[in-house]
Amino acid sequence: EERFRDTFEGALSYFIGGNEAYPEDHGFAITPWTDVRWENEGVIIEGNKAVSMGVYYFTPANGEEPVEVEYTFSYTRNNDGDLKIVLHSSHLPYSN
C-alpha cells in the first residue's frame, strides 16, 4: 500500500513489521531465511560515491525455492572515511 518509508519508524516497519501505520509490513528481515546469495552485476564509483546493483537470492527455512530479489545500493563516504548506505532499493523482478 505505502511505497516509500521516509522515516526511521517506516524503515523499521519494513524490516520487522508491527507498525500500525503500515499494516502491509510483515517483517521481511525476520522471515526465517537460511541463506542469502549475492550476484553483484556491477559497481559504479565516482569520487566519494558508489552504486552497486545485482540480484540476491533468499533461501526460506521451509525448504521452498530461493526468492530472487533485485537490488540497488548507493553509498557515500562520511568525514571519517566510513561507507554509509544512502539509498537502498530492493524489489521482486518484473513479470507480466
Side-chain angles (χ1 to χ4, degrees):
E1 296 290 325
E2 193 71 32
R3 289 185 183 189
F4 299 104
R5 306 290 189 270
D6 60 356
T7 65
F8 175 82
E9 291 78 15
L12 189 62
S13 178
Y14 172 79
F15 287 103
I16 66 170
N19 186 324
E20 292 178 10
Y22 305 99
E24 68 269 26
D25 292 348
H26 301 288
F28 172 78
I30 59 174
T31 299
W33 307 109
T34 59
D35 190 37
V36 63
R37 179 171 50 91
W38 297 72
E39 290 185 2
N40 198 38
E41 186 64 29
V43 177
I44 299 168
I45 300 172
E46 291 188 13
N48 68 343
K49 298 181 176 113
V51 176
S52 65
M53 63 211 105
V55 179
Y56 33 48
Y57 299 87
F58 292 94
T59 304
N62 64 8
E64 291 181 3
E65 289 296 311
V67 177
E68 180 179 337
V69 180
E70 297 172 347
Y71 68 84
T72 304
F73 285 94
S74 180
Y75 308 88
T76 189
R77 276 197 198 280
N78 66 13
N79 292 336
D80 295 328
D82 298 324
L83 282 178
K84 299 292 180 181
I85 297 170
V86 294
L87 175 70
H88 163 238
S89 175
S90 290
H91 53 275
L92 298 174
Y94 173 78
S95 67
N96 42 343

